[in-house]
Amino acid sequence: AESRSFPSLKVKVGHQELRDDLLAMQRGYNGRHGGKIRADVNRAWNESQAIEFTTALQGLDVNAMEKVEFLEEPLQKVTVESGSWSLEDQVQALERSYFHTSIRYALDETLADLAKMHDWSYDTIKVSLEQVFGSGNRGCAAFVLKPAVLGIELSFRIARFARKDLGIGVVVSSCFESGLALAHIAFLGHLVDAISSRTSTYPHGIGTFAMLSKDILSPGFETFVNSEGVLNVPSLSRALFGLGLDEIQDSLSDISQ
């Protein structure tokens, strides 16, 4: 696995000392082989800590900022005195952080919070997203959508709206699913990438297959991934269902209309 050259590498930061975060980033730079680094903060920082990290990061490498694809959920959950939370407040804080750090951000937990707030109703989720991002966004690079959290249908509908209407990229991401579930996430990622959009596509986050000690698929999911970390989705679909990608897409027409 160490010899593979992935187009994007995720590095977990924010839950340790700053020097340890920088060491993790340095290891990521050394092993990225031309790819980009996604620093996943999991809402660990306040705004000043995000600025401190970025300032220190610039000391690692003159091109350090260019090598970062985005910061995934860099800021703590923003709540008011009553304990309530809103998408608008969270994004305002993220935009302030982007203004100071110049590194774009991605939403993950924020989307799960939004879905829960609206009882998983796409129509009301869409209204909230349009109100916050409809006039354009400067700092949001991508929505990170986890079907294990949001469900496949809701994930796809949010992805379609993000790419077609908001001009925001989409990353379909796994948690720690089996090879079978990863295959369905991969098919969803293929559908998302096929959506007509002015936004470029991002590599999807399904590298958790490398952490599986066993797989219920035979041959295993990892056998469909080449040395550059690229998944052969057509071969996977034929092996799993005996179907081509066009037939897979047709079978999912209910959610892609």
Side-chain angles (χ1 to χ4, degrees):
E2 292 181 359
S3 64
R4 283 179 169 164
S5 176
F6 293 98
S8 289
L9 294 177
K10 176 178 281 194
V11 176
K12 290 284 188 177
V13 297
H15 296 273
Q16 53 195 351
E17 295 295 328
L18 177 60
R19 63 177 180 272
D20 295 320
D21 284 341
L22 295 175
L23 179 60
M25 291 296 290
Q26 185 64 66
R27 288 171 176 165
Y29 290 148
N30 293 342
R32 70 190 182 92
H33 303 298
K36 292 276 192 175
I37 301 293
R38 296 174 181 175
D40 189 0
V41 191
N42 291 118
R43 286 181 164 177
W45 295 330
N46 57 37
E47 292 182 48
S48 63
Q49 288 171 320
I51 295 172
E52 182 184 12
F53 171 82
T54 306
T55 302
L57 190 62
Q58 290 174 312
L60 284 182
D61 186 316
V62 66
N63 298 314
M65 304 289 278
E66 298 174 7
K67 297 174 183 176
V68 179
E69 195 165 37
F70 50 70
L71 297 176
E72 188 173 332
E73 291 285 2
L75 299 183
Q76 296 165 352
K77 188 173 183 178
V78 177
T79 57
V80 297
E81 290 185 4
S82 64
S84 63
W85 174 89
S86 73
L87 176 65
E88 182 178 10
D89 290 343
Q90 191 74 39
V91 171
Q92 283 179 353
L94 288 164
E95 286 290 332
R96 286 194 302 268
S97 179
Y98 169 66
F99 176 79
H100 290 292
T101 65
S102 299
I103 301 180
R104 302 185 78 191
Y105 62 87
L107 301 184
D108 177 359
E109 290 91 346
T110 293
L111 297 172
D113 285 341
L114 184 66
K116 184 176 181 180
M117 172 183 286
H118 292 293
D119 198 25
W120 317 101
S121 167
Y122 170 70
D123 290 337
T124 53
I125 291 169
K126 177 182 175 182
V127 169
S128 290
L129 291 172
E130 191 165 30
Q131 288 173 343
V132 173
F133 293 108
S135 60
N137 73 92
R138 294 176 299 163
C140 187
F143 288 173
V144 179
L145 303 172
K146 294 178 177 174
V149 176
L150 300 172
I152 287 181
E153 180 176 353
L154 182 57
S155 294
F156 182 81
R157 297 182 77 181
I158 293 173
R160 181 178 55 192
F161 181 62
R163 282 182 51 77
K164 289 185 65 174
D165 298 282
L166 301 179
I168 294 174
V170 171
V171 175
V172 180
S173 182
S174 62
C175 295
F176 289 97
E177 297 90 344
S178 69
L180 180 61
L182 289 174
H184 285 84
I185 293 171
F187 300 147
L188 179 61
H190 170 77
L191 286 178
V192 169
D193 290 347
I195 295 169
S196 177
S197 173
R198 66 184 185 274
T199 306
S200 59
T201 59
Y202 287 102
H204 297 293
I206 52 179
T208 51
F209 70 87
M211 305 182 75
L212 298 176
S213 60
K214 295 181 179 180
D215 196 343
I216 61 174
L217 289 184
S218 181
F221 186 89
E222 66 175 4
T223 63
F224 298 94
V225 182
N226 70 16
S227 60
E228 282 73 46
V230 177
L231 175 68
N232 190 330
V233 182
S235 291
L236 178 62
S237 67
R238 287 193 296 270
L240 192 59
F241 295 117
L243 299 175
L245 284 176
D246 289 342
E247 294 168 299
I248 290 286
Q249 186 159 350
D250 290 342
S251 72
L252 294 174
S253 59
D254 287 345
I255 67 169
S256 58
Q257 293 297 318

